[in-house]
Each structure stands twice: as structure tokens, then as C-alpha cells.
Amino acid sequence: MYIFKKQDKDYRNLTSEEINFLKSQGCSSQSWEKILIKNVDLSRIKDVQFHGKIKINALNGMVKYHNQVKLLASINRATLIDVFINGNVYINNIGRFIANYKIENGAIIENAGSIYMEGKSSFGNAVETSPIMEGDGRSVKIFNRLNSHIAYLIAIYRHKKIMREKINSMIDEYAKQKTRRFGKIKKHAKIINARLIKNSLIDPYATIENTDEINNTTIISTKECPSYIGTSVILKDSIVLKGAHIVDGTVIKKAFIGEGVKLGRQFSCEDSLLFANCEGEHGEMFSIFAGPYTVTHHKATLLIASHFSFFNAGSGTNQSNHMYKLGPYHHGFMERGCKTGSNSYILWPSHIGAFSTVIGAHYDNVDTSDFPFSYITEHGYHQTRLIPALNLFGVGLSRDENKWRDRDRRVGDKKDLIIFDVFSPYTVSKMLRSETILENIKKENIDNNKDFLKYQKMIIKKSSLNKYSKRYSIAIDLYLHNKILSYISNSKNIDEIISALKYNEDNIFENWADIGGLICAKERIDNVIKDLEDNKINDIKTLIGEFEKLYNIYSEDEKSWVINTAKSKYNIKEINKETINKLLTRHISLLEETYKIFYKDVQKEYDISKMVSAGIDDKSVMEKDFEAVRGTVNDNAFVVKYKKDMENKINDINNIINIL
């Protein structure tokens, strides 16, 4: 057995003895002089064809193969063309060849087809995608450091041409710096049974297993948050961030796959951006801006030419993005938290307000952006009915906020800076506008005797206008009171309460925006755009830093907005014992009132009509069977937690009242 020379320190050529030994191991080369080694045990190289320049370093240790199993670092049955192996690797049974790649310590490549570079590549950086709108109308160039906020500015603020060109030039420069003739398979990456990997970069601890094709793509991965690309996946001209899980014949072309994204079950995706924790199964995305937590799980679901965020698509969800006139130029916008019912259909262009549910087919271009937390339903023959505020206080909404936080799969640094709050200045300012609009509709139609009133391209039930407005009013009051309580909950006396309610009166922002999951004052994002235009932001790192500032200052800006809004709404001239006591007493009433609404909504899930599938063989035990499976409304874990949280808040309020 040939023993490598441990005293080797620098790369060196093979000796005649070593060349003959490798030949005896089934190896061959047309230019042995181009092979350089350093601390290599040549007995670990068998049946290998060498072409071009080859460098091998430290092939002398062990490689972690599977669970606790370790194998000797080695290269067996492979063709290597211009390859640099830097460390202990396990390469076994390469069907065709590996060419123009650097392979780092701990990497495993087994039963692979072809892994090669063809010319130069930026590995998916600066590939131009077409989210929201087919064609280049809202195009976004993807790159490794893209986040939902940068993409939102480029796609939505198209009228800011200088800003867009500035960011695109930064991306082009970044891609230029990443362009290489050699690809990389970094440390501890695993490539098992992969058919083709071309012009791609594979990060540490990534696993690529039974994959069909990865082409012009970067797979970002870390030890703490590894990425997995699985069976029959085709991945072209894309960027995949850490923690992604892509399996089951998923086809991806010209797409950005964000942190913690899960795709599978024959899902297809093209010209789209999918940000943190999105999920896709069975269906199809084309030209989609999928903000954080966009989820589609069902067959026959098509998401096309639109923006979503914190979205859940019902089965058979569909949209149309052109009328066969000038082409597929129409596109839609659904604000955060929307849902669609089974077989829903929306004609683009339309704009759906935050946390709304769309049911049925809608053939008019509707705009419900001023009515968050609503139902948009089909009524009669192709009419769209707006039911404002119906989603408020429902059990589903109460679950969402905690659900999203709990399902964050990202580990380590997080690129998308997400404000998870359901109620915020962004949604509550819209509710304040809704109150005014509903009041105006009522006044304008006081003499109208019709059951339904026409509002824009929708109908709205006249007899329910007061109910809609009241629901918005309760939700606004509850948000303001909850926030004020959070500011003063640790106060020991009235002086501390007054101090805790101080705010920056110079930074009260009226308009708010949701920039790819980051809620912020519209004026602040306008300032970021202006700084880009004025060359005060000249690189990606600085731009990302500006978004981090917006994320960090959100709570302070929200506090200023909350207290200023409360003072105006409740006509508070001075914060003192009397006003605090009045607010706190009203807060208790609000908590009790909303719990009743919430409890009534939960009760619907335990109504006798929901028991029809219980007690199949004996309807006399239907209720007992249902209870054995679902329990009762009063022992439901979510209801118990909701009630406990309410009681704790009331206890905190009473404690503060006692110190006044």
C-alpha cells in the first residue's frame, strides 16, 4: 500500500513511483505533470481519470457519511477536469465528469451525473425576474442579498426611476464581483444521485439528493440552517436562501427562494419572488411577489401576476391577468393576511384590503383597500358584495398572529425584517378611514329604500352599516387601549404613568406602508428613496442598514402614533388620573365585549350543525361522539388561553387603577 508523505508542506508534482502506483489503482491521465498534491494518501484514489489542471490537498482523513458513520476520504470511479479538491472529501461513482469546480473539506459527491462550469457564471445573481406583472413592467433582479423590502421598492415604486436604476446598478456590481469561471461545492455539502449541476454554487451543509437539474443557481446554506434540494427538482436561474426545503418534482425557473421556504408535491414556480417561510405545494405561481408567509397547498390553484403577503390560498384559487387585448399587463395586489375560499376567482386589476377573505368569483375590478378585515363574496349573478369588518374578532384571526411567529423556520440572521402585528398603524389607520366612509355612505343614502347600496363596483347591505362601523370602532378602541396598557403596565404611580406615556411629538406620521412585511411610516420609506436618489446610499450593505433602522424604530413611531391618535379620538387635553382611570375602565368593558364576540364565533364550531359527521351508526350518541373528538367550547385550548390572557389584562388594569 502506498503511504503518502506526511512531511509534504507545499503542493508538488507526482513522482514517477506515484504515477505508476496510481496507474495500478486504475487511474489515467494525459498530462500527469499538471497534477499537484499536498499531504495526499494516494491509496485513496482509484479508477479516476484526470484531465487538465488538478490540485488535491489533504486527502488523508475521514468524512462524516451518514449519522455516526464515517468513511475514509477518497476519490473513486470519477472523471475530473480542472478540479481543485481542498480537504478531505468523499467522491464516488461520477457518471460523467466534474469540471471546473473547487470542492471543499467534508463534501460528499456520490452517484452524480455531471457537475461542471461552462464559461463564466454569476450563479443566478442579476437574473431578471418579472414578479407582479408579466413582462418587464415590474421586473426585479435577484441576488444573494435580496430581501423583501428591496424587492418591494423596485417592483412597486416604478415611478422612482432614479432610485430603481441606482439599486439595479448595485445589484449588477454585486453580480460582477460574484462572477467566476470556477464553481464551488463548499464544506460538508452533500450531492447524492444528482443528475446535473451546472454553473452553480453550493454552500456549506446543503444537501442535494436525487435532484434532476440545478443550473445557474446559488444554494445558500449554513450548519445551523441547512438547505435541502430533493427528488426530481429542476432549479434554473435562481437564488435559494438558507433553510429552504425543495422536493417532490418541484420546477423552479427565474425565481428567488427566501429563507425557510418549503416547496414540494410537483409545485411549479416561474418569474417569482418567494420570501421568508412561504410554502407551495401542487399548484402554480407565475409572476408572483410572494411576501413572507404566502401559502398555497392545493391542486388546480394558480397564483398569477400579483402581490401576496401572509396569504393562504384556498383550493382552486385563480385569477386572470389580461383580457386578450394588449396582452397580460393587468395585475393585482392583495394586502397582508388575505385568504381565498375554494374556487375563488378575481379579475385583475383589483386591490384587496388587509386580512380580507375572498369567496366566489369576481368579474369586476374591485378595490377594497379601505376596508381591511372584510369578506368579499359573490352575490347573485356575478355581483361582488362587500361585508366590512366581518373578520374582526374571529377565532381564525386571533390564531394568525401567534401562528406566524411560531412557524418561523429561520435560524441566525434574518434577511426579511418582519413586523408580525395584525393590528398596527397600517391596518388601524385604514379602519379609521373605513368608519368615515361608512358614515358618508349612510348619509348619502338616507332616503334610499333598497336593501343593498352600490359602492364603487360592489354592493353593501344598508341595514348593516351601523354594525360594520361599530365593529371597526371596537377594534380601533381595543388596539389603542391595549397599546396604552402595554406602555404603563410596569408603572408604580401616576408620575411613572405620565412619564411612560411621553412620546416624540415631532415624529407623528399619518401614512403607513407595509414594505414586504416591514410596517413603517410612509415618510420614512420616502426618505430612504430620496437618499438613494441623492447618492447618500451607495451600496447594498448601507441600504440593508436603512431597513434595519426602520425595523428598530417601528415601536417608537407606533407609540407616537397611538398616543397622538388616542388623544385626538378621545378628546384628551391632558394625561392625568382622571383620563387614565377613564381609559382603563373603558378598556375592561372593551375586553369583555370582544370576548363575547370571540366566544360567539367559536361557538359556531361546536353548533349542532357541525356534528352531522359524528355518531355515524347511532345518531343518539352524536353529541357524545363529537365531544369525545373535539371536546367542548369551554375546554378548547385556544379558548382557554384567550380567556386567561383577557383575565390577566383585566388584572393588570385593576392593579394600575389601584395605584391611581
Side-chain angles (χ1 to χ4, degrees), residues 173 239 250 481 558 576 628 649:
E173 180 59 30
I239 301 290
T250 294
H481 283 76
E558 181 192 31
N576 51 37
K649 281 185 179 179

Side-chain angles (χ1 to χ4, degrees), residues 372-517:
F373 304 100
S374 295
Y375 262 56
I376 296 96
T377 68
E378 184 179 12
H379 183 85
Y381 182 72
H382 294 335
Q383 282 188 304
T384 293
R385 179 184 173 186
L386 173 66
I387 310 176
L390 188 59
N391 266 338
L392 286 168
F393 315 120
V395 61
L397 182 66
S398 300
R399 287 180 59 247
D400 281 346
E401 191 171 356
N402 292 328
K403 174 184 72 178
W404 291 319
R405 283 191 172 91
D406 294 341
R407 294 180 184 178
D408 194 345
R409 293 182 286 268
R410 299 172 296 168
V411 178
D413 294 338
K414 299 176 181 180
K415 282 186 166 56
D416 297 335
L417 305 168
I418 302 171
I419 303 295
F420 289 95
D421 300 352
V422 170
F423 297 100
S424 67
Y426 174 72
T427 51
V428 177
S429 62
K430 289 174 180 287
M431 288 194 283
L432 287 164
R433 288 201 296 275
S434 303
E435 282 188 304
T436 303
I437 294 170
L438 290 170
E439 186 61 31
N440 289 337
I441 293 173
K442 185 179 175 181
K443 289 178 181 177
E444 291 167 4
N445 292 275
I446 194 166
D447 297 324
N448 191 328
N449 295 321
K450 293 183 178 180
D451 291 336
F452 287 93
L453 307 174
K454 194 78 173 176
Y455 176 74
Q456 295 183 1
K457 294 184 178 181
M458 301 171 286
I459 59 173
I460 185 168
K461 193 171 184 179
K462 181 183 179 183
S463 62
S464 297
L465 286 172
N466 287 335
K467 182 170 69 174
Y468 304 150
S469 185
K470 183 182 178 183
R471 280 203 160 206
Y472 278 132
S473 181
I474 293 172
I476 293 164
D477 287 345
L478 188 63
Y479 165 75
L480 295 174
H481 283 76
N482 277 335
K483 281 296 173 182
I484 290 171
L485 177 62
S486 71
Y487 302 145
I488 66 175
S489 59
N490 296 320
S491 301
K492 302 294 188 296
N493 52 55
I494 186 62
D495 291 334
E496 289 188 11
I497 289 173
I498 293 172
S499 178
L501 293 178
K502 289 180 179 178
Y503 63 100
N504 189 343
E505 298 185 30
D506 295 327
N507 280 335
I508 299 169
F509 303 103
E510 181 180 350
N511 297 315
W512 292 74
D514 181 1
I515 309 295

Side-chain angles (χ1 to χ4, degrees), residues 48-250:
V48 178
Q49 295 184 45
F50 298 103
H51 298 275
K53 295 180 180 179
I54 305 293
K55 289 177 71 176
I56 305 175
N57 173 38
L59 195 69
N60 54 41
M62 306 293 289
V63 174
K64 186 175 180 181
Y65 184 72
H66 178 71
N67 292 336
Q68 301 303 313
V69 177
K70 292 184 179 181
L71 297 180
L72 292 174
S74 59
I75 308 171
N76 305 291
R77 294 184 297 280
T79 298
L80 305 182
I81 306 170
D82 293 321
V83 171
F84 177 20
I85 294 171
N86 188 22
N88 289 301
V89 303
Y90 182 78
I91 299 175
N92 182 46
N93 198 28
I94 305 305
R96 195 169 178 221
F97 58 78
I98 301 175
N100 298 306
Y101 261 84
K102 296 179 181 179
I103 305 170
E104 295 184 352
N105 185 61
I108 295 173
I109 306 174
E110 187 168 30
N111 296 335
S114 301
I115 302 174
Y116 67 99
M117 289 286 293
E118 190 171 72
K120 292 182 179 181
S121 177
S122 60
F123 312 107
N125 286 286
V127 166
E128 193 162 38
T129 64
S130 301
I132 303 180
M133 175 180 170
E134 288 188 65
D136 62 358
R138 296 190 181 276
S139 59
V140 175
K141 292 183 178 182
I142 61 175
F143 68 114
N144 293 354
R145 301 187 69 185
L146 183 68
N147 61 27
S148 57
H149 325 305
I150 296 173
Y152 188 94
L153 287 192
I154 298 171
I156 300 298
Y157 287 69
R158 299 300 283 190
H159 55 292
K160 296 290 186 179
K161 183 179 179 182
I162 296 174
M163 173 273 293
R164 179 163 46 88
E165 290 176 346
K166 184 71 179 291
I167 295 178
N168 281 337
S169 68
M170 294 179 192
I171 295 171
D172 289 338
E173 180 59 30
Y174 181 91
K176 183 179 178 182
Q177 293 173 8
K178 294 294 180 182
T179 301
R180 300 284 188 277
R181 289 187 178 276
F182 267 71
K184 274 189 181 181
I185 298 168
K186 297 186 179 180
K187 61 182 182 178
H188 303 291
K190 293 181 180 180
I191 300 174
I192 314 296
N193 301 330
R195 187 177 65 83
L196 171 63
I197 296 176
K198 177 182 175 183
N199 287 20
S200 295
L201 187 147
I202 313 301
D203 252 10
Y205 297 94
T207 296
I208 298 168
E209 191 168 28
N210 304 317
T211 303
D212 269 3
E213 180 178 357
I214 300 177
N215 193 338
N216 191 34
T217 292
T218 295
I219 310 293
I220 294 176
S221 177
T222 65
K223 183 177 182 179
E224 298 76 19
C225 198
S227 292
Y228 182 90
I229 315 297
T231 301
S232 301
V233 169
I234 296 175
L235 187 53
K236 296 181 178 180
D237 302 318
S238 299
I239 301 290
V240 177
L241 297 194
K242 64 183 182 181
H245 188 86
I246 307 172
V247 296
D248 302 335
T250 294

Side-chain angles (χ1 to χ4, degrees), residues 560-579:
S560 297
W561 187 87
V562 164
I563 299 175
N564 186 70
T565 301
K567 288 172 71 175
S568 175
K569 184 174 176 60
Y570 308 131
N571 197 27
I572 297 172
K573 304 299 182 184
E574 181 184 356
I575 296 175
N576 51 37
K577 283 186 179 183
E578 182 183 352
T579 55

Side-chain angles (χ1 to χ4, degrees), residues 35 62 65 71 74 210 212 240 260 295 350 355 366 390 396 470 517 536 549 619 641-642 650:
I35 299 174
M62 306 293 289
Y65 184 72
L71 297 180
S74 59
N210 304 317
D212 269 3
V240 177
V295 175
S350 288
F355 296 98
V366 298
L390 188 59
K470 183 182 178 183
K536 294 180 180 178
K549 290 178 184 176
K619 286 298 180 183
K641 183 180 183 301
Y642 189 100
I650 291 175

